[in-house]
Amino acid sequence: MHYADIMHTSRFRPLFGAFFVCGALTCAAAAQKTPIHVVADLTDAPRKMYHAEVDLPVTPGPLTLTTPRWIPGNHRPTGPVSDITGVVFTIDGKPIAWRRDDVDLYEFHVTVPQGAATLHAHLDCIVTARLTNKMAVLEWEKLLLYPAHVPVRDIPIQPSLKVPQGWGVGTALQPEGASPWPVPAAGSTTKFAVTNVEQLEDSPVITGQYFHEFALAPTISPKHYIDVVSDQPEDSNLRPNTLAEINNLVREADAEYASHHYNVYHFLLTLSDVAGGEGLEHGQSSDNGVGEKGFADDAHQLAEADLLSHEFTHSWNGKYRRPVGLYQPDFATPQQGTLLWVYEGMTQYLGNVLAARSGLKSQAQYRDLLAMSAANLDSKPGREWRSTEDTAIAASVLRGGNPAWSNWRRGQDYYQEGELLWLDADTLIRKMTDNKKSLDDFQKIFLAKGGNTGPQIVTYTFDELVADLNQVVKYDWATFLHDRVDRINPRADLAGIERGGYKLVYNDQPSTSEKMMAAAGGRRGAGVDCWYSIGLRISADGAIADVRWNGPADKARLAPGQKIMAINGQIFSPELLREAIRGAKGNSEPIKLIVQSDTYVSNAEIDYHDGERYPVLERADATPAYLDDITKPLTTPEKAPEAKKMNEDSAK
């Protein structure tokens, strides 16, 4: 059955509002029960270990406890049960026997004796990512233990936190008995207000020795902050330009979405080459991790420019409004990814647009990166057999994995495919209304339902999506979406780019943005870019990560995992490969390689003669530049203090 047909069946049509989820302090069920108490001890974080002491209210008899499996935002079962160790249950200090479930390995069975009202659990969690000697990140699923088979929104819990002496703390959790934010100075145990398990899992913590908290956009309510920890003391003090742009981001989102669904919002940012990268959305915060110099200068920032805006947008699209199949009442039931092209795809579009509007990247840089993304999709042979819908449905098995032949397998393409789809919709609305309406109008309908709220979850279906689009402008939106998402489309959806006044072309030189990222050594600038010429993704040492299916290198029988040792009789280097591609243009001689495969060496010849090819967007004459209209700020941009002073001085 096709996706659109499934979504039109009655069992996928809950009444709007039927899945409202109560906030942390407004659950009637939470108010009627004794909360679980959990103390998270991060004082051993530099030794890659977290500890927890958990007190659970119980009644005599059999009890099944569980830890989370399906973590919202991860789109697959990533619960850390394999790293949870040292589990000991006690009542009044006496050990209680437990047994893991034979089928559901996340569940623990205990029998509570007569007269007992509280069960104590100690557990440790081995943590090997998102921490260093100077910082740590806590996603609460690492230390949660709670009754199984109960909706997590109905389980009250009161968290406390211990961190190393002198470390600062950033989180959206509200300290108990204190003015709400920021969190009090660290060094002892901080007790937070009662919430529920669903909201606690959605409220990460960052902590570190080098900690800075910056208040953002003071005229916007509720309050917004960015909390930064780093391995080096100078890095957590963000550049004035970057802070001005993040202030702009808060104002631009306020103008775009016309609502807020949180009581406070914290951007949580780690700057470390050791802790690893991250981008994970939460309702009242976001967990963002980049390299140590990720925001130190414009070149490094460009590679990360959409990170904060993407995860911030998820507070509306993904956390507040969530596809019906992606929301489950517990963390054990598998999530269904059918509508991830909305959850992630529309967020990918809006995040990049907001990054450009706020100045985190320029309009020209937005176009350069859009060209790179569109070209990548247009050169994925896997689209000949796999639809965008299937990349969403299969998200839990497509995340991660080996890059070998990933262009034929396809991966999480619902992100970038969704970006092009929603650009297509945006420019179509603009064209049909003579630029008087846009996707901005849709956001104010779709994401602002219910007005300003605290953290809630309101699910939606395909039908509601179509109905809300029709409120903006009447059109056959069901067919529009069905054709682009459900059907096999051998070429990428470039209609939005073209209707937006540009066209995708290939030059023999990289764009300014691609050169900038390559020079900075960012994650998107590493290796040798010859994907659109000979069809290879190659690291700087000649190792082949992927081969474009049916491309020139594929026809030469090259394979992922091989290593290029020599080119035309000379030892491999990235520049030598580029020279060989340029030199083969216009002549009949193939590019000759010596290739290592495991312990064997062989020769290969690539028959390619069209030179280097790099994607860029070129302005199309006599067409409205909707793409430029889309990325213009909706508010007056803030400038960094030194920029303001320069303008004032020049005006004297």
Side-chain angles (χ1 to χ4, degrees):
M1 185 179 288
H2 281 299
Y3 161 82
D5 297 329
I6 292 174
M7 297 309 293
H8 285 131
T9 59
S10 59
R11 66 190 182 92
F12 280 89
R13 297 175 59 115
L15 293 175
F16 175 75
F19 282 80
F20 266 100
V21 177
C22 59
L25 299 176
T26 59
C27 275
Q32 296 170 6
K33 298 178 182 177
T34 303
I36 298 170
H37 290 269
V38 55
V39 179
D41 184 351
L42 273 56
T43 55
D44 267 347
R47 301 178 61 234
K48 304 186 185 306
M49 183 73 74
Y50 295 166
H51 312 286
E53 305 296 335
V54 186
D55 288 304
L56 300 109
V58 294
T59 56
L63 174 65
T64 301
L65 302 171
T66 190
T67 60
R69 179 187 304 173
W70 283 80
I71 308 304
N74 286 354
H75 312 316
R76 59 175 176 164
T78 57
V81 67
S82 62
D83 292 322
I84 292 176
T85 63
V87 179
V88 177
F89 293 101
T90 59
I91 292 179
D92 296 329
K94 299 177 181 178
I96 299 294
W98 62 271
R99 191 178 192 280
R100 191 181 302 273
D101 191 85
D102 290 318
V103 176
D104 188 338
L105 303 183
Y106 289 73
E107 292 186 354
F108 300 82
H109 299 294
V110 299
T111 299
V112 179
Q114 291 294 324
T118 301
L119 174 67
H120 181 79
H122 169 89
L123 57 90
D124 305 315
C125 188
I126 301 165
V127 184
T128 57
R130 307 305 314 292
L131 47 64
T132 71
N133 283 339
K134 301 295 183 181
M135 69 169 70
V137 177
L138 173 62
E139 296 279 1
W140 283 92
E141 61 265 17
K142 297 183 185 305
L143 297 175
L144 285 180
L145 195 63
Y146 52 89
H149 315 301
V150 178
V152 288
R153 65 180 178 271
D154 293 340
I155 305 174
I157 188 166
Q158 183 166 31
S160 298
L161 178 71
K162 295 174 66 176
V163 300
Q165 186 69 34
W167 285 25
V169 174
T171 182
L173 290 169
Q174 179 177 341
E176 183 183 54
S179 56
W181 295 276
V183 172
S188 58
T189 300
T190 300
K191 180 178 284 189
F192 297 99
V194 174
T195 181
N196 58 52
V197 169
E198 183 171 75
Q199 286 297 316
L200 181 58
E201 190 283 328
D202 199 41
S203 303
V205 175
I206 65 170
T207 179
Q209 181 175 346
Y210 305 123
F211 173 88
H212 272 86
E213 180 170 87
F214 303 91
L216 301 170
T219 61
I220 303 298
S221 181
K223 294 183 181 298
H224 298 75
Y225 303 90
I226 182 165
D227 301 326
V228 189
V229 292
S230 60
D231 285 334
Q232 301 299 323
E234 66 274 12
D235 292 326
S236 61
N237 193 14
L238 294 178
R239 295 186 299 152
N241 281 346
T242 300
L243 281 173
E245 291 153 4
I246 299 170
N247 274 275
N248 291 339
L249 171 59
V250 173
R251 285 190 289 271
E252 287 294 326
D254 180 71
E256 174 71 9
Y257 304 134
S259 63
H260 302 92
H261 308 293
Y262 43 81
N263 298 320
V264 67
Y265 193 89
H266 285 252
F267 297 92
L268 307 178
L269 177 62
T270 61
L271 300 171
S272 172
D273 291 339
V274 177
E278 181 62 285
L280 185 59
E281 64 272 14
H282 297 279
Q284 301 197 109
S285 61
S286 54
D287 179 5
N288 309 279
V290 301
E292 178 184 326
K293 303 300 180 184
F295 287 94
D297 54 53
D298 290 346
H300 284 88
Q301 179 174 306
L302 179 56
E304 315 292 352
D306 66 320
L307 174 62
L308 299 179
S309 53
H310 180 103
E311 304 306 341
F312 190 30
T313 292
H314 267 316
S315 181
W316 291 265
N317 184 38
K319 303 306 290 186
Y320 177 60
R321 300 308 318 270
R322 195 175 305 179
V324 64
L326 269 177
Y327 177 67
Q328 301 296 344
D330 54 38
F331 301 133
T333 305
Q335 299 166 8
Q336 301 169 32
T338 309
L339 288 170
L340 277 169
W341 52 272
V342 186
Y343 181 115
E344 294 290 4
M346 188 162 69
T347 300
Q348 186 76 6
Y349 175 62
L350 295 169
N352 277 306
V353 167
L354 286 184
R357 288 178 182 173
S358 62
L360 286 160
K361 57 183 168 186
S362 69
Q363 287 184 305
Q365 290 169 337
Y366 168 85
R367 294 192 299 269
D368 286 346
L369 270 62
L370 180 61
M372 294 168 66
S373 177
N376 178 52
L377 290 173
D378 203 38
S379 300
K380 278 200 174 179
R383 61 187 313 118
E384 296 172 9
W385 71 271
R386 187 172 228 156
S387 68
T388 295
E389 179 199 36
D390 192 59
T391 70
I393 293 173
S396 63
V397 297
L398 291 176
R399 285 210 156 195
N402 193 298
W405 299 114
S406 60
N407 69 101
W408 184 234
R409 179 181 65 240
R410 303 196 76 180
Q412 300 172 79
D413 291 354
Y414 49 84
Y415 281 84
Q416 287 76 24
E417 293 281 5
E419 179 178 22
L420 292 183
L421 180 152
W422 291 107
L423 173 61
D424 190 352
D426 197 347
T427 56
L428 181 59
I429 292 170
R430 289 172 186 269
K431 181 179 179 180
M432 289 191 292
T433 63
D434 194 25
N435 212 19
K436 292 182 175 64
K437 291 185 178 181
S438 69
L439 202 67
D440 297 347
D441 298 280
F442 168 73
Q443 306 307 333
K444 292 175 175 61
I445 298 169
F446 180 62
L447 298 180
K449 287 182 179 176
N452 293 321
T453 71
Q456 293 182 348
I457 301 168
V458 182
T459 60
Y460 63 86
T461 65
F462 179 85
D463 287 351
E464 185 191 337
L465 201 68
V466 169
D468 288 354
L469 283 166
N470 274 308
Q471 286 191 53
V472 179
V473 59
K474 295 292 184 182
Y475 190 70
D476 188 358
W477 291 109
T479 299
F480 174 92
L481 298 173
H482 171 72
D483 287 347
R484 288 156 180 77
V485 175
D486 307 341
R487 296 189 185 281
I488 299 296
N489 291 295
R491 303 301 299 271
D493 179 8
L494 303 181
I497 291 174
E498 294 165 357
R499 196 183 296 113
Y502 288 84
K503 56 185 177 180
L504 178 65
V505 299
Y506 294 85
N507 289 344
D508 60 4
Q509 292 290 325
S511 66
T512 301
S513 300
E514 188 169 355
K515 288 179 181 177
M516 182 183 292
M517 290 190 296
R523 65 171 186 253
R524 302 177 193 176
V528 186
D529 183 3
C530 52
W531 189 249
Y532 307 109
S533 54
I534 60 176
L536 288 177
R537 297 199 192 281
I538 312 173
S539 66
D541 66 355
I544 299 174
D546 201 8
V547 179
R548 195 176 79 235
W549 186 265
N550 208 31
D554 180 28
K555 293 175 181 177
R557 309 299 294 170
L558 294 180
Q562 292 178 332
K563 186 173 184 179
I564 300 175
M565 301 179 66
I567 306 168
N568 293 337
Q570 299 183 62
I571 296 297
F572 171 86
S573 72
E575 185 52 40
L576 186 61
L577 178 59
R578 296 187 185 99
E579 289 178 6
I581 294 171
R582 291 192 293 266
K585 185 175 183 178
N587 67 52
S588 59
E589 287 294 314
I591 300 170
K592 298 178 181 179
L593 307 177
I594 297 177
V595 178
Q596 178 184 352
S597 182
D598 300 325
T599 58
Y600 299 93
V601 174
S602 60
N603 296 316
E605 294 185 350
I606 300 179
D607 188 17
Y608 175 79
H609 307 282
D610 291 330
E612 293 189 278
R613 299 177 79 240
Y614 299 94
V616 295
L617 294 190
E618 185 178 273
R619 183 74 173 93
D621 295 334
T623 58
Y626 292 146
L627 207 58
D628 297 337
D629 294 338
I630 288 168
T631 52
K632 287 179 182 175
L634 301 179
T635 64
T636 302
E638 176 182 310
K639 296 180 180 179
E642 65 267 26
K644 291 180 182 177
K645 186 176 187 305
M646 288 174 62
N647 288 343
E648 291 167 359
D649 291 343
S650 64
K652 291 178 181 178

